[in-house]
Amino acid sequence: VAHMDRFIASSDEEEAIASTFESHDLELDFSNPRPGNLAAIPSGSGIYLIIGRRGEQLIKVYVGKATDIRRRIGDYHRGFQVHCPNDRKLAMFQEWLSEADPGCSLSLCTADASPEELAAMERRWINKLKPLVNGTRHDDPESRAVVEQAFKQFFRSFFRARVDNDA
């Protein structure tokens, strides 16, 4: 995918990642609701980096923070839940990526951090790497309206069903 070139890590970025993050030798598959490889992921507090691997190239996909990284990565494997649709963003990205760039796989890197350091460390790495998925368009009124309308329709349907079924 030609336009993804700006998300390929430079040699300086690769060095910074290698000096800060521990790379975990596992391939992520967010379509699998019962991943067997979660035990290999640290359960402590820290930030995590989802990397796309295309041959020798590293694609900067996503930076996140968690007080329990293993649990947070597990959350991304769950099916869609209305109360936390953000948990499906990496699965949706992976599905898109499998069509747009079939030779690319996702892997995980982690860095320990105390709960007090998480927000600042995550922000620092997002600003440094500018990963593809972290760059959502929250400021785009049209995109925001589409999401708001979808939620409005869901909740109106939910409320109507509750009233009708609880009568």
Side-chain angles (χ1 to χ4, degrees):
V1 179
H3 297 301
M4 283 185 42
D5 287 350
R6 69 177 189 223
F7 299 106
I8 295 172
S10 68
S11 58
D12 288 346
E13 289 171 328
E14 284 187 31
E15 282 182 33
I17 290 166
S19 69
T20 303
F21 290 87
E22 177 185 352
S23 182
H24 300 280
D25 190 26
L26 54 94
E27 188 173 325
L28 297 171
D29 178 5
F30 295 115
S31 67
N32 180 357
R34 298 193 192 291
N37 57 4
L38 288 180
I41 300 171
S43 61
S45 173
I47 63 170
Y48 55 95
L49 171 62
I50 305 294
I51 290 287
R53 294 189 183 275
R54 183 193 318 137
E56 295 298 312
Q57 295 178 321
L58 298 183
I59 299 169
K60 306 169 293 184
V61 174
Y62 184 73
V63 173
K65 66 181 183 300
T67 54
D68 182 334
I69 296 173
R70 181 183 306 152
R71 183 185 53 74
R72 184 64 184 125
I73 298 301
D75 289 345
Y76 291 126
H77 288 83
R78 295 187 313 201
F80 181 79
Q81 297 182 42
V82 173
H83 69 279
C84 53
N86 205 34
D87 285 355
R88 293 303 296 159
K89 69 181 167 238
L90 289 171
M92 291 176 193
F93 172 76
Q94 190 170 38
E95 183 179 322
W96 172 83
L97 185 63
S98 71
E99 296 166 11
D101 193 353
C104 193
S105 62
L106 298 182
S107 62
L108 176 70
C109 300
T110 61
D112 295 339
S114 70
E116 298 78 30
E117 298 173 293
L118 289 176
M121 193 172 176
E122 177 194 40
R123 192 170 34 259
R124 203 168 38 252
W125 279 96
I126 290 171
N127 290 336
K128 182 181 192 94
L129 298 177
K130 296 177 180 34
L132 193 154
V133 176
N134 290 97
T136 55
R137 297 172 44 180
H138 295 294
D139 59 341
D140 175 29
E142 187 177 332
S143 295
R144 200 176 181 81
V146 168
V147 172
E148 183 177 2
Q149 187 61 33
F151 271 83
K152 181 178 179 179
Q153 288 174 325
F154 169 80
F155 282 109
R156 290 179 63 86
S157 171
F158 170 77
F159 299 143
R160 173 54 48 206
R162 290 279 292 161
V163 168
D164 291 347
N165 291 331
D166 290 349

